[in-house]
Amino acid sequence: MGKIIIASKNPVKIQAVKNGFEKMFPNQKFEFISVSVPSDVADQPLSNTETFQGAKNRADNASNEIKDADFYFGIEGGIENLDDEMEAFAWVVAKADGKYGKSRTATFFLPKQVVQLIKEGKELGDADDIVFNRKNSKQESGAVGILTGDIIDRTKYYTEAVILALIPFKNVDLY
Protein backbone atom coordinates (compact mmCIF):
# COMPACT_ATOMS: atom_id res chain seq x y z
CA MET A 1 0.00 0.00 0.00
CA GLY A 2 1.34 3.41 -0.96
CA LYS A 3 1.37 6.31 1.48
CA ILE A 4 0.23 9.59 -0.05
CA ILE A 5 0.65 12.92 1.75
CA ILE A 6 -1.65 15.75 0.64
CA ALA A 7 -0.35 19.15 1.70
CA SER A 8 -3.80 20.51 2.50
CA LYS A 9 -6.71 20.04 4.89
CA ASN A 10 -9.14 21.24 2.20
CA PRO A 11 -11.59 18.37 1.51
CA VAL A 12 -11.79 19.32 -2.19
CA LYS A 13 -8.03 18.94 -2.68
CA ILE A 14 -7.95 15.70 -0.67
CA GLN A 15 -10.72 14.18 -2.77
CA ALA A 16 -9.09 15.29 -6.03
CA VAL A 17 -5.85 13.50 -5.11
CA LYS A 18 -7.78 10.37 -4.12
CA ASN A 19 -9.71 10.46 -7.41
CA GLY A 20 -6.53 10.90 -9.43
CA PHE A 21 -4.82 7.92 -7.82
CA GLU A 22 -7.90 5.72 -8.23
CA LYS A 23 -8.02 6.52 -11.93
CA MET A 24 -4.29 6.25 -12.65
CA PHE A 25 -3.55 3.25 -10.43
CA PRO A 26 -6.90 1.41 -10.12
CA ASN A 27 -5.40 -1.89 -8.93
CA GLN A 28 -3.37 -0.41 -6.08
CA LYS A 29 -4.32 0.54 -2.54
CA PHE A 30 -3.27 3.82 -1.00
CA GLU A 31 -3.35 5.48 2.39
CA PHE A 32 -4.05 9.22 2.19
CA ILE A 33 -2.90 11.60 4.91
CA SER A 34 -3.55 15.33 4.88
CA VAL A 35 -1.24 17.80 6.56
CA SER A 36 -1.29 21.55 6.81
CA VAL A 37 1.99 23.06 5.64
CA PRO A 38 2.85 26.57 4.45
CA SER A 39 3.04 27.50 0.79
CA ASP A 40 5.66 30.19 1.51
CA VAL A 41 3.90 32.45 -1.00
CA ALA A 42 1.08 34.98 -0.59
CA ASP A 43 -2.29 33.66 0.58
CA GLN A 44 -3.57 34.72 -2.85
CA PRO A 45 -0.85 34.07 -5.43
CA LEU A 46 -1.03 36.70 -8.16
CA SER A 47 0.95 35.08 -10.98
CA ASN A 48 1.56 31.78 -12.70
CA THR A 49 5.09 31.66 -11.28
CA GLU A 50 4.04 32.38 -7.69
CA THR A 51 1.20 29.84 -7.90
CA PHE A 52 3.51 27.12 -9.20
CA GLN A 53 6.04 27.94 -6.48
CA GLY A 54 3.33 27.65 -3.84
CA ALA A 55 2.31 24.16 -5.02
CA LYS A 56 5.94 23.00 -5.19
CA ASN A 57 6.69 24.47 -1.76
CA ARG A 58 3.70 22.65 -0.28
CA ALA A 59 4.91 19.30 -1.70
CA ASP A 60 8.46 19.99 -0.47
CA ASN A 61 7.32 21.16 2.97
CA ALA A 62 5.13 18.08 3.37
CA SER A 63 8.09 15.86 2.44
CA ASN A 64 10.22 17.61 5.07
CA GLU A 65 7.53 17.07 7.70
CA ILE A 66 6.72 13.39 6.97
CA LYS A 67 9.69 11.42 5.69
CA ASP A 68 8.35 7.95 4.87
CA ALA A 69 5.65 8.56 2.24
CA ASP A 70 5.59 7.45 -1.38
CA PHE A 71 4.08 10.67 -2.78
CA TYR A 72 3.65 14.26 -1.65
CA PHE A 73 1.09 16.56 -3.28
CA GLY A 74 0.88 20.33 -3.34
CA ILE A 75 -2.08 22.09 -4.94
CA GLU A 76 -2.18 25.87 -5.16
CA GLY A 77 -4.87 28.04 -6.71
CA GLY A 78 -3.86 31.34 -8.24
CA ILE A 79 -4.84 34.21 -10.44
CA GLU A 80 -3.07 36.35 -12.99
CA ASN A 81 -3.94 39.48 -14.90
CA LEU A 82 -4.13 39.04 -18.64
CA ASP A 83 -4.78 42.23 -20.58
CA ASP A 84 -7.76 43.83 -18.77
CA GLU A 85 -9.04 40.56 -17.32
CA MET A 86 -8.10 38.14 -14.58
CA GLU A 87 -7.71 34.41 -15.13
CA ALA A 88 -7.98 31.73 -12.44
CA PHE A 89 -6.12 28.40 -12.40
CA ALA A 90 -4.25 26.04 -10.10
CA TRP A 91 -0.96 24.17 -10.13
CA VAL A 92 -0.57 20.59 -8.92
CA VAL A 93 2.87 19.25 -7.99
CA ALA A 94 3.49 15.60 -7.14
CA LYS A 95 6.80 14.64 -5.55
CA ALA A 96 8.19 11.11 -5.21
CA ASP A 97 11.78 9.89 -4.84
CA GLY A 98 13.13 13.37 -5.56
CA LYS A 99 11.24 13.59 -8.89
CA TYR A 100 8.37 15.94 -9.66
CA GLY A 101 5.24 15.59 -11.71
CA LYS A 102 3.62 18.91 -12.55
CA SER A 103 0.40 20.07 -14.13
CA ARG A 104 -1.71 23.17 -14.38
CA THR A 105 -5.48 23.18 -14.56
CA ALA A 106 -7.44 24.78 -17.34
CA THR A 107 -7.99 28.50 -16.92
CA PHE A 108 -11.14 30.57 -16.84
CA PHE A 109 -11.78 34.27 -16.48
CA LEU A 110 -13.36 35.85 -13.43
CA PRO A 111 -16.37 38.20 -13.40
CA LYS A 112 -15.67 41.90 -13.00
CA GLN A 113 -17.23 42.09 -9.50
CA VAL A 114 -14.93 39.31 -8.24
CA VAL A 115 -11.90 40.93 -9.88
CA GLN A 116 -12.68 44.24 -8.18
CA LEU A 117 -12.77 42.62 -4.72
CA ILE A 118 -9.47 40.84 -5.42
CA LYS A 119 -7.93 44.15 -6.43
CA GLU A 120 -9.14 45.49 -3.07
CA GLY A 121 -7.13 42.75 -1.31
CA LYS A 122 -9.60 39.87 -0.93
CA GLU A 123 -8.68 36.25 -1.73
CA LEU A 124 -10.60 34.64 -4.59
CA GLY A 125 -12.63 32.40 -2.25
CA ASP A 126 -13.65 35.34 -0.07
CA ALA A 127 -14.56 37.41 -3.13
CA ASP A 128 -16.71 34.54 -4.45
CA ASP A 129 -18.48 34.26 -1.09
CA ILE A 130 -19.31 37.98 -1.16
CA VAL A 131 -20.41 38.21 -4.81
CA PHE A 132 -22.36 34.94 -4.87
CA ASN A 133 -23.64 35.08 -1.25
CA ARG A 134 -21.95 31.80 -0.25
CA LYS A 135 -19.98 30.56 2.74
CA ASN A 136 -16.59 28.85 2.41
CA SER A 137 -17.04 28.16 -1.31
CA LYS A 138 -13.34 27.32 -1.69
CA GLN A 139 -13.94 24.11 0.27
CA GLU A 140 -16.94 23.27 -1.91
CA SER A 141 -17.54 23.95 -5.60
CA GLY A 142 -15.31 27.04 -5.81
CA ALA A 143 -15.50 29.75 -8.45
CA VAL A 144 -15.37 27.18 -11.25
CA GLY A 145 -18.38 25.34 -9.83
CA ILE A 146 -20.36 28.49 -9.17
CA LEU A 147 -19.72 29.87 -12.66
CA THR A 148 -20.43 26.57 -14.50
CA GLY A 149 -23.46 25.63 -12.41
CA ASP A 150 -21.42 22.72 -11.02
CA ILE A 151 -20.90 21.16 -14.44
CA ILE A 152 -17.24 21.39 -13.43
CA ASP A 153 -16.89 21.56 -9.68
CA ARG A 154 -13.62 22.28 -7.94
CA THR A 155 -12.93 18.60 -7.21
CA LYS A 156 -13.31 17.59 -10.87
CA TYR A 157 -11.29 20.63 -11.92
CA TYR A 158 -8.35 19.57 -9.71
CA THR A 159 -8.69 15.83 -10.41
CA GLU A 160 -7.73 16.21 -14.06
CA ALA A 161 -4.57 18.10 -13.10
CA VAL A 162 -3.71 15.47 -10.45
CA ILE A 163 -3.95 12.79 -13.15
CA LEU A 164 -1.68 14.79 -15.46
CA ALA A 165 0.84 15.37 -12.65
CA LEU A 166 1.01 11.58 -12.16
CA ILE A 167 2.04 10.92 -15.79
CA PRO A 168 5.80 10.63 -15.03
CA PHE A 169 5.06 8.10 -12.27
CA LYS A 170 2.77 5.99 -14.43
CA ASN A 171 5.30 6.06 -17.31
CA VAL A 172 8.52 5.70 -15.34
CA ASP A 173 10.53 4.42 -18.35
CA LEU A 174 9.79 7.61 -20.29
CA TYR A 175 10.70 10.06 -17.55
Side-chain angles (χ1 to χ4, degrees):
M1 175 168 26
K3 186 173 179 181
I4 314 304
I5 307 300
I6 304 159
S8 178
K9 292 288 188 178
N10 185 317
V12 168
K13 294 177 181 181
I14 295 166
Q15 190 60 53
V17 173
K18 287 179 178 179
N19 292 350
F21 271 90
E22 288 170 4
K23 291 179 182 213
M24 286 294 270
F25 305 103
N27 299 320
Q28 296 181 37
K29 298 279 185 213
F30 299 98
E31 174 189 9
F32 297 94
I33 299 168
S34 66
V35 297
S36 183
V37 296
S39 66
D40 299 323
V41 298
D43 288 341
Q44 179 59 75
L46 298 175
S47 71
N48 182 61
T49 301
E50 184 180 18
T51 306
F52 170 77
Q53 193 62 55
K56 183 175 182 295
N57 289 349
R58 286 187 192 276
D60 288 338
N61 289 339
S63 72
N64 290 334
E65 189 167 307
I66 299 172
K67 302 286 185 195
D68 63 342
D70 297 292
F71 285 90
Y72 302 88
F73 266 84
I75 301 175
E76 189 77 19
I79 54 178
E80 185 165 72
N81 289 314
L82 186 63
D83 297 326
D84 291 335
E85 297 181 284
M86 188 175 286
E87 65 177 336
F89 53 88
W91 270 99
V92 175
V93 174
K95 181 180 183 179
D97 297 324
K99 283 183 13 183
Y100 293 93
K102 304 172 287 279
S103 180
R104 192 175 121 157
T105 63
T107 62
F108 61 98
F109 288 86
L110 298 170
K112 289 181 175 71
Q113 304 96 308
V114 172
V115 171
Q116 185 56 46
L117 289 170
I118 292 168
K119 287 181 178 179
E120 292 171 10
K122 302 271 188 232
E123 288 184 48
L124 173 56
D126 295 332
D128 287 339
D129 288 347
I130 292 165
V131 171
F132 299 108
N133 196 26
R134 302 278 183 110
K135 284 193 188 309
N136 205 17
S137 60
K138 71 181 181 179
Q139 292 200 359
E140 294 176 1
S141 61
V144 69
I146 293 167
L147 294 170
T148 65
D150 283 324
I151 294 169
I152 301 172
D153 65 16
R154 199 166 181 224
T155 303
K156 182 176 180 179
Y157 184 63
Y158 288 157
T159 297
E160 300 299 316
V162 168
I163 290 167
L164 295 172
L166 286 170
I167 287 174
F169 305 105
K170 180 145 178 119
N171 302 278
V172 177
D173 295 348
L174 299 174
Y175 291 83

